[in-house]
Amino acid sequence: PISKEVGQFGFAAKAVGQDISLVERMMRGLTNALTENSTEGEKARRTLRDLGVSTRDELGNIRPTSQILQELSEGLNRIPDAIDRNRAAMDIFKRVGIEAIPMITELTENLRIAREQGFGPTEDDIRRFTEYQREVTELETKWDGLMRKFKAGLVTTLSVSIKWIGAGVKWFLDN
């Protein structure tokens, strides 16, 4: 499930001192590389091909981004020279490429650890979280309604009290 995968990619990012936002930026860069109709887009696609990364399945559909990123990790790890590896990452991810190098090169190993450890929520966890969220929302809504009734009652009570005090002060001043 996608939620489990997100948890595992989150672990992989944290393991190299990053957070899940790096994965989001990498996915955006990869999507641009696959869809951009420019010399930069063609350069990115050529780099992916040179690394042995297949972006489409046997039916011609774009493969899941997580699979492409894992294959890309393996491809970049086959490049022994750090400068060439950085250049390839920059060709694909543009600016985020340099920032992504530690994560992408460690991705396969960190995902293996995350899977072994069972990181990421299960479908049951998500169902339970959804139910908790629904219950919390019901309670918040009921609480908000209760507070509105309390405030309305308080305003009415204060209005009557202020009118009564005002009338008393007027009577006192008149007499």
Side-chain angles (χ1 to χ4, degrees):
I2 192 101
S3 58
K4 189 103 173 146
E5 221 169 50
V6 170
Q8 293 167 351
F9 272 82
F11 169 80
K14 287 178 185 173
V16 294
Q18 293 287 347
D19 63 28
I20 196 72
S21 68
L22 176 61
V23 178
E24 293 167 6
R25 291 192 313 276
M26 288 169 51
M27 290 175 137
R28 198 173 315 120
L30 185 58
T31 299
N32 288 340
L34 296 177
T35 59
E36 204 172 86
N37 193 14
S38 66
T39 54
E40 291 296 313
E42 180 50 42
K43 184 178 180 183
R45 289 187 291 280
R46 184 177 40 255
T47 301
L48 287 165
R49 280 191 303 273
D50 292 348
L51 292 171
V53 177
S54 352
T55 57
R56 298 192 177 268
D57 63 17
E58 57 279 350
L59 299 175
N61 300 315
I62 295 221
R63 293 174 54 217
T65 307
S66 61
Q67 290 177 9
I68 296 172
L69 287 174
Q70 289 173 69
E71 205 170 277
L72 178 57
S73 171
E74 293 164 8
L76 286 172
N77 278 319
R78 288 191 296 269
I79 299 175
D81 183 60
I83 293 173
D84 291 338
R85 189 171 44 246
N86 292 351
R87 187 176 305 118
M90 293 284 289
D91 287 348
I92 297 164
F93 297 114
K94 297 192 170 99
R95 286 182 306 190
V96 78
I98 292 298
E99 189 181 355
I101 287 285
M103 183 184 163
I104 199 76
T105 55
E106 299 292 322
L107 184 62
T108 302
E109 177 63 13
N110 287 330
L111 286 177
R112 183 190 63 74
I113 292 168
R115 288 181 185 122
E116 282 177 3
Q117 297 296 321
F119 294 150
T122 65
E123 289 302 316
D124 284 341
D125 291 338
I126 292 169
R127 200 171 10 266
R128 200 169 43 253
F129 296 154
T130 301
E131 185 58 35
Y132 291 154
Q133 181 62 37
R134 189 174 296 117
E135 289 174 10
V136 165
T137 302
E138 284 177 25
L139 287 172
E140 287 175 343
T141 303
K142 288 177 182 177
W143 178 258
D144 289 345
L146 201 80
M147 289 304 294
R148 275 192 303 276
K149 285 179 183 176
F150 173 75
K151 289 176 183 176
L154 185 61
V155 166
T156 302
T157 303
L158 286 174
S159 293
V160 169
S161 298
I162 290 171
K163 284 179 186 175
W164 185 78
I165 292 171
V169 168
K170 185 177 182 330
W171 178 85
F172 181 76
L173 293 174
D174 290 343
N175 294 318

